[in-house]
Amino acid sequence: MPGAEEYVCTLSEEVQRLAQEELGEDPKRREEDIEAVRTWLKRQPHLNARTDRTTILRYLRGCKFSLEETKAKMEMYYMCKGAMPDMFQGRDPQDPALRTILKMGLMFPLPGRDPQGRTVIFGRLGAWDPSKVKPEDLFRAAGMLFDVLFLEDEQTTVTGIVQANDMTGLTFKHVAALPFPLVRKVLLTWQEGYPLRPKSVHYINTPQAFDTLFNLFKPLMKEKMKNRVHVHGNKLSGMHKFVPKSMLPNEYGGTGGTIQEISEYWLQKMDHHRAWFLEDEKHRADETRRPRKPKTDAILFGSVEGSFKKLSID
């Protein structure tokens, strides 16, 4: 029976206090809130949602315990899963294409936490070959990484994440390879469907292609996130001010281990959760079962076509 398991808190007293002060979490009301969301999910014929305590609590925290916002975000997530099979189906860590990407070390959580107790996700977003790697597989792998992080680390749902990205190697070929509708859908899914709680985003080694890409997608970002973006140019020292050297990969002046070692660690985590990923494919929305008018892709994502291939590049 879902929900019958007893909640075992893995948070320190300090983080528990943070959850109460910042997120409005009330330990006395926690089970009542979880059960309210669970009951609502079960009454939605178009949603085959996870109703376990861990999943619902993660969303409650991501929505600061607003029941209505939690319902809306969870429904959005499962609608996106149903509408985006390229991103949410075939998420098998043993899949050769995905495994190749995961071994490349394009994105991974760094060991430890920053001074505010947050997880830092490091990205090497120009280190893929657009002639060999499909953007759909890139986003699929990134989504899997977020899921494993959520499964492994309860504190992330409270303190949030920081993103640190090295854009070395990003060219206009990378930009042109990205289908605009796909990227727009992915951004909407991550912003509106995931309880990520992003606190800041840092970029270093930003070439001209980055400026083009960032300016195109800046209008799609929430205003709050626009104010949390920091571009440090080519100065690694700018990154060191926000991400302790003890966390950073050795290749970036840190002592957190090599990129290969950290990537392999998270690949093993994904292998450990392989059964979860395979089972998770059934959890999605089925618009044919919605009591009211089904929501089409155009309603969900808006009508956007094209890619960046026609960009006029000087």
Side-chain angles (χ1 to χ4, degrees), residues 201-206 230-242:
V201 184
H202 301 270
Y203 294 98
I204 60 169
N205 299 324
T206 50
H230 307 273
V231 180
H232 303 290
N234 296 323
K235 297 180 180 179
L236 186 58
S237 59
M239 186 83 78
H240 288 161
K241 292 180 181 179
F242 297 91

PDB file of all heavy atoms in Angstrom, residues 201-206 230-242:
ATOM      1  N   VAL A 201      23.221  30.099 -11.302  1.00  0.00           N
ATOM      2  CA  VAL A 201      23.862  29.456 -12.453  1.00  0.00           C
ATOM      3  C   VAL A 201      25.108  30.260 -12.801  1.00  0.00           C
ATOM      4  O   VAL A 201      25.044  31.490 -12.936  1.00  0.00           O
ATOM      5  CB  VAL A 201      22.918  29.401 -13.676  1.00  0.00           C
ATOM      6  CG1 VAL A 201      23.587  28.644 -14.816  1.00  0.00           C
ATOM      7  CG2 VAL A 201      21.592  28.764 -13.311  1.00  0.00           C
ATOM      8  N   HIS A 202      26.227  29.565 -12.935  1.00  0.00           N
ATOM      9  CA  HIS A 202      27.499  30.217 -13.228  1.00  0.00           C
ATOM     10  C   HIS A 202      28.073  29.685 -14.545  1.00  0.00           C
ATOM     11  O   HIS A 202      28.026  28.481 -14.805  1.00  0.00           O
ATOM     12  CB  HIS A 202      28.496  29.962 -12.095  1.00  0.00           C
ATOM     13  CG  HIS A 202      28.020  30.466 -10.765  1.00  0.00           C
ATOM     14  ND1 HIS A 202      28.285  31.741 -10.313  1.00  0.00           N
ATOM     15  CD2 HIS A 202      27.268  29.874  -9.798  1.00  0.00           C
ATOM     16  CE1 HIS A 202      27.738  31.910  -9.124  1.00  0.00           C
ATOM     17  NE2 HIS A 202      27.117  30.784  -8.787  1.00  0.00           N
ATOM     18  N   TYR A 203      28.621  30.594 -15.354  1.00  0.00           N
ATOM     19  CA  TYR A 203      29.226  30.217 -16.633  1.00  0.00           C
ATOM     20  C   TYR A 203      30.648  30.760 -16.695  1.00  0.00           C
ATOM     21  O   TYR A 203      30.912  31.901 -16.314  1.00  0.00           O
ATOM     22  CB  TYR A 203      28.431  30.802 -17.803  1.00  0.00           C
ATOM     23  CG  TYR A 203      27.034  30.251 -17.957  1.00  0.00           C
ATOM     24  CD1 TYR A 203      25.936  30.946 -17.443  1.00  0.00           C
ATOM     25  CD2 TYR A 203      26.807  29.053 -18.624  1.00  0.00           C
ATOM     26  CE1 TYR A 203      24.647  30.457 -17.595  1.00  0.00           C
ATOM     27  CE2 TYR A 203      25.514  28.549 -18.773  1.00  0.00           C
ATOM     28  CZ  TYR A 203      24.456  29.259 -18.254  1.00  0.00           C
ATOM     29  OH  TYR A 203      23.185  28.761 -18.396  1.00  0.00           O
ATOM     30  N   ILE A 204      31.558  29.918 -17.191  1.00  0.00           N
ATOM     31  CA  ILE A 204      32.921  30.365 -17.487  1.00  0.00           C
ATOM     32  C   ILE A 204      33.278  29.946 -18.906  1.00  0.00           C
ATOM     33  O   ILE A 204      32.641  29.063 -19.487  1.00  0.00           O
ATOM     34  CB  ILE A 204      33.962  29.795 -16.506  1.00  0.00           C
ATOM     35  CG1 ILE A 204      33.967  28.262 -16.549  1.00  0.00           C
ATOM     36  CG2 ILE A 204      33.745  30.318 -15.103  1.00  0.00           C
ATOM     37  CD1 ILE A 204      35.137  27.636 -15.807  1.00  0.00           C
ATOM     38  N   ASN A 205      34.295  30.593 -19.447  1.00  0.00           N
ATOM     39  CA  ASN A 205      34.796  30.285 -20.800  1.00  0.00           C
ATOM     40  C   ASN A 205      33.676  30.362 -21.829  1.00  0.00           C
ATOM     41  O   ASN A 205      33.385  29.411 -22.552  1.00  0.00           O
ATOM     42  CB  ASN A 205      35.462  28.900 -20.820  1.00  0.00           C
ATOM     43  CG  ASN A 205      36.646  28.818 -19.875  1.00  0.00           C
ATOM     44  OD1 ASN A 205      37.379  29.782 -19.704  1.00  0.00           O
ATOM     45  ND2 ASN A 205      36.825  27.660 -19.252  1.00  0.00           N
ATOM     46  N   THR A 206      33.048  31.523 -21.897  1.00  0.00           N
ATOM     47  CA  THR A 206      31.882  31.706 -22.763  1.00  0.00           C
ATOM     48  C   THR A 206      32.279  32.304 -24.114  1.00  0.00           C
ATOM     49  O   THR A 206      32.635  33.483 -24.191  1.00  0.00           O
ATOM     50  CB  THR A 206      30.856  32.630 -22.084  1.00  0.00           C
ATOM     51  OG1 THR A 206      31.526  33.815 -21.611  1.00  0.00           O
ATOM     52  CG2 THR A 206      30.232  31.925 -20.892  1.00  0.00           C
ATOM     53  N   HIS A 230      25.207  34.205 -13.487  1.00  0.00           N
ATOM     54  CA  HIS A 230      26.488  34.914 -13.362  1.00  0.00           C
ATOM     55  C   HIS A 230      27.431  34.416 -14.458  1.00  0.00           C
ATOM     56  O   HIS A 230      27.683  33.218 -14.562  1.00  0.00           O
ATOM     57  CB  HIS A 230      27.113  34.659 -11.986  1.00  0.00           C
ATOM     58  CG  HIS A 230      26.189  34.956 -10.842  1.00  0.00           C
ATOM     59  ND1 HIS A 230      26.055  36.207 -10.280  1.00  0.00           N
ATOM     60  CD2 HIS A 230      25.328  34.150 -10.161  1.00  0.00           C
ATOM     61  CE1 HIS A 230      25.180  36.167  -9.301  1.00  0.00           C
ATOM     62  NE2 HIS A 230      24.718  34.926  -9.199  1.00  0.00           N
ATOM     63  N   VAL A 231      27.934  35.331 -15.265  1.00  0.00           N
ATOM     64  CA  VAL A 231      28.881  34.995 -16.328  1.00  0.00           C
ATOM     65  C   VAL A 231      30.252  35.526 -15.930  1.00  0.00           C
ATOM     66  O   VAL A 231      30.422  36.728 -15.712  1.00  0.00           O
ATOM     67  CB  VAL A 231      28.438  35.583 -17.683  1.00  0.00           C
ATOM     68  CG1 VAL A 231      29.443  35.210 -18.767  1.00  0.00           C
ATOM     69  CG2 VAL A 231      27.040  35.083 -18.053  1.00  0.00           C
ATOM     70  N   HIS A 232      31.226  34.634 -15.837  1.00  0.00           N
ATOM     71  CA  HIS A 232      32.545  34.987 -15.321  1.00  0.00           C
ATOM     72  C   HIS A 232      33.609  35.114 -16.411  1.00  0.00           C
ATOM     73  O   HIS A 232      34.799  35.193 -16.102  1.00  0.00           O
ATOM     74  CB  HIS A 232      33.003  33.935 -14.299  1.00  0.00           C
ATOM     75  CG  HIS A 232      32.051  33.762 -13.160  1.00  0.00           C
ATOM     76  ND1 HIS A 232      31.851  34.719 -12.188  1.00  0.00           N
ATOM     77  CD2 HIS A 232      31.222  32.735 -12.841  1.00  0.00           C
ATOM     78  CE1 HIS A 232      30.962  34.290 -11.314  1.00  0.00           C
ATOM     79  NE2 HIS A 232      30.563  33.084 -11.689  1.00  0.00           N
ATOM     80  N   GLY A 233      33.204  35.128 -17.679  1.00  0.00           N
ATOM     81  CA  GLY A 233      34.181  35.240 -18.758  1.00  0.00           C
ATOM     82  C   GLY A 233      35.121  34.046 -18.763  1.00  0.00           C
ATOM     83  O   GLY A 233      34.699  32.903 -18.642  1.00  0.00           O
ATOM     84  N   ASN A 234      36.412  34.312 -18.891  1.00  0.00           N
ATOM     85  CA  ASN A 234      37.399  33.232 -18.923  1.00  0.00           C
ATOM     86  C   ASN A 234      38.129  33.063 -17.594  1.00  0.00           C
ATOM     87  O   ASN A 234      39.155  32.392 -17.518  1.00  0.00           O
ATOM     88  CB  ASN A 234      38.427  33.489 -20.035  1.00  0.00           C
ATOM     89  CG  ASN A 234      37.786  33.478 -21.410  1.00  0.00           C
ATOM     90  OD1 ASN A 234      36.885  32.693 -21.669  1.00  0.00           O
ATOM     91  ND2 ASN A 234      38.246  34.364 -22.285  1.00  0.00           N
ATOM     92  N   LYS A 235      37.590  33.660 -16.545  1.00  0.00           N
ATOM     93  CA  LYS A 235      38.267  33.648 -15.258  1.00  0.00           C
ATOM     94  C   LYS A 235      37.751  32.504 -14.382  1.00  0.00           C
ATOM     95  O   LYS A 235      36.645  32.553 -13.857  1.00  0.00           O
ATOM     96  CB  LYS A 235      38.074  34.987 -14.552  1.00  0.00           C
ATOM     97  CG  LYS A 235      38.694  36.182 -15.296  1.00  0.00           C
ATOM     98  CD  LYS A 235      38.474  37.472 -14.538  1.00  0.00           C
ATOM     99  CE  LYS A 235      39.097  38.649 -15.282  1.00  0.00           C
ATOM    100  NZ  LYS A 235      38.865  39.926 -14.557  1.00  0.00           N
ATOM    101  N   LEU A 236      38.584  31.492 -14.234  1.00  0.00           N
ATOM    102  CA  LEU A 236      38.244  30.375 -13.351  1.00  0.00           C
ATOM    103  C   LEU A 236      38.132  30.845 -11.910  1.00  0.00           C
ATOM    104  O   LEU A 236      37.367  30.291 -11.117  1.00  0.00           O
ATOM    105  CB  LEU A 236      39.297  29.280 -13.467  1.00  0.00           C
ATOM    106  CG  LEU A 236      39.028  27.961 -12.719  1.00  0.00           C
ATOM    107  CD1 LEU A 236      37.732  27.326 -13.161  1.00  0.00           C
ATOM    108  CD2 LEU A 236      40.196  26.998 -12.928  1.00  0.00           C
ATOM    109  N   SER A 237      38.850  31.902 -11.580  1.00  0.00           N
ATOM    110  CA  SER A 237      38.798  32.439 -10.217  1.00  0.00           C
ATOM    111  C   SER A 237      37.394  32.904  -9.857  1.00  0.00           C
ATOM    112  O   SER A 237      37.001  32.876  -8.683  1.00  0.00           O
ATOM    113  CB  SER A 237      39.786  33.596 -10.067  1.00  0.00           C
ATOM    114  OG  SER A 237      39.496  34.636 -10.997  1.00  0.00           O
ATOM    115  N   GLY A 238      36.640  33.342 -10.881  1.00  0.00           N
ATOM    116  CA  GLY A 238      35.261  33.752 -10.629  1.00  0.00           C
ATOM    117  C   GLY A 238      34.415  32.586 -10.142  1.00  0.00           C
ATOM    118  O   GLY A 238      33.558  32.742  -9.269  1.00  0.00           O
ATOM    119  N   MET A 239      34.675  31.406 -10.687  1.00  0.00           N
ATOM    120  CA  MET A 239      33.968  30.207 -10.258  1.00  0.00           C
ATOM    121  C   MET A 239      34.382  29.814  -8.843  1.00  0.00           C
ATOM    122  O   MET A 239      33.563  29.386  -8.029  1.00  0.00           O
ATOM    123  CB  MET A 239      34.261  29.061 -11.226  1.00  0.00           C
ATOM    124  CG  MET A 239      33.467  27.798 -10.951  1.00  0.00           C
ATOM    125  SD  MET A 239      31.822  27.862 -11.658  1.00  0.00           S
ATOM    126  CE  MET A 239      32.168  27.521 -13.392  1.00  0.00           C
ATOM    127  N   HIS A 240      35.683  29.994  -8.542  1.00  0.00           N
ATOM    128  CA  HIS A 240      36.187  29.599  -7.226  1.00  0.00           C
ATOM    129  C   HIS A 240      35.537  30.390  -6.093  1.00  0.00           C
ATOM    130  O   HIS A 240      35.472  29.928  -4.957  1.00  0.00           O
ATOM    131  CB  HIS A 240      37.711  29.786  -7.166  1.00  0.00           C
ATOM    132  CG  HIS A 240      38.465  28.770  -7.976  1.00  0.00           C
ATOM    133  ND1 HIS A 240      39.767  28.955  -8.380  1.00  0.00           N
ATOM    134  CD2 HIS A 240      38.090  27.548  -8.467  1.00  0.00           C
ATOM    135  CE1 HIS A 240      40.166  27.899  -9.079  1.00  0.00           C
ATOM    136  NE2 HIS A 240      39.161  27.046  -9.140  1.00  0.00           N
ATOM    137  N   LYS A 241      35.035  31.582  -6.402  1.00  0.00           N
ATOM    138  CA  LYS A 241      34.388  32.394  -5.378  1.00  0.00           C
ATOM    139  C   LYS A 241      33.064  31.788  -4.929  1.00  0.00           C
ATOM    140  O   LYS A 241      32.595  32.056  -3.816  1.00  0.00           O
ATOM    141  CB  LYS A 241      34.141  33.815  -5.914  1.00  0.00           C
ATOM    142  CG  LYS A 241      35.400  34.629  -6.146  1.00  0.00           C
ATOM    143  CD  LYS A 241      35.055  36.009  -6.673  1.00  0.00           C
ATOM    144  CE  LYS A 241      36.315  36.834  -6.940  1.00  0.00           C
ATOM    145  NZ  LYS A 241      35.987  38.179  -7.489  1.00  0.00           N
ATOM    146  N   PHE A 242      32.480  30.982  -5.794  1.00  0.00           N
ATOM    147  CA  PHE A 242      31.159  30.430  -5.498  1.00  0.00           C
ATOM    148  C   PHE A 242      31.179  28.917  -5.268  1.00  0.00           C
ATOM    149  O   PHE A 242      30.317  28.382  -4.579  1.00  0.00           O
ATOM    150  CB  PHE A 242      30.184  30.749  -6.644  1.00  0.00           C
ATOM    151  CG  PHE A 242      29.939  32.209  -6.834  1.00  0.00           C
ATOM    152  CD1 PHE A 242      30.719  32.953  -7.709  1.00  0.00           C
ATOM    153  CD2 PHE A 242      28.947  32.858  -6.124  1.00  0.00           C
ATOM    154  CE1 PHE A 242      30.499  34.319  -7.882  1.00  0.00           C
ATOM    155  CE2 PHE A 242      28.710  34.216  -6.278  1.00  0.00           C
ATOM    156  CZ  PHE A 242      29.496  34.944  -7.166  1.00  0.00           C
TER     157      PHE A 242
END
